[in-house]
Amino acid sequence: MADHPLDPFALLSKSQKLALDATTGAFDALVTVGRTAAQPDEAVRQVAALVNAVGDLASASVQPLQDFVTRQREIADTMASLATVQADLAVLVESLAHRHAAVVQSLENLTAPLFGLVARETPGADT
């Protein structure tokens, strides 16, 4: 995974190394210029490289975070969709439960007289 050119963590690591190298080079050049004042063009080049490396580091640091936030938004949207579907399912199950209760009530109404008759005529029930 780290060898993939679009891997944000590999890009971050590479950018950090380049920024560190550029920082070290720029500070060394500035110290040298401060001591000798012989190569101001080299110091400017080193500082420009430092600015570019820091910009690349900032870009590489932001991309993984932006990807993470995007994925979290996708998860939140998926969970909201799931909650909506579950709410719809709950309404459907509630409706089925009421219908089933009505069927049970109808069966009780139909069978109550029969059960009453059977209970009165069972031999040995009076014992």
Side-chain angles (χ1 to χ4, degrees):
M1 180 174 165
D3 294 336
H4 192 275
L6 298 178
D7 178 17
F9 296 107
L11 181 60
L12 176 62
S13 176
K14 181 180 176 185
S15 296
Q16 287 175 332
K17 183 179 180 337
L18 290 173
L20 181 61
D21 291 345
T23 302
T24 302
F27 284 127
D28 289 346
L30 288 174
V31 168
T32 301
V33 167
R35 288 184 187 153
T36 64
Q39 297 179 342
D41 291 339
E42 178 62 19
V44 169
R45 189 191 68 73
Q46 290 285 337
V47 170
L50 173 62
V51 169
N52 287 335
V54 169
D56 291 344
L57 177 61
S59 295
S61 300
V62 168
Q63 188 60 46
L65 183 58
Q66 184 178 5
D67 291 345
F68 176 74
V69 169
T70 299
R71 298 301 175 259
Q72 293 303 310
R73 172 57 51 206
E74 290 171 358
I75 290 171
D77 292 345
T78 300
M79 289 181 355
S81 296
L82 179 60
T84 300
V85 170
Q86 286 180 329
D88 293 345
L89 180 61
V91 169
L92 178 63
V93 170
E94 181 184 23
S95 173
L96 290 173
H98 289 301
R99 288 180 184 177
H100 186 73
V103 168
V104 170
Q105 183 63 47
S106 296
L107 284 173
E108 286 176 342
N109 292 341
L110 286 172
T111 58
L114 180 63
F115 289 154
L117 182 63
V118 169
R120 275 188 259 140
E121 294 184 5
T122 303
D126 295 333
T127 331

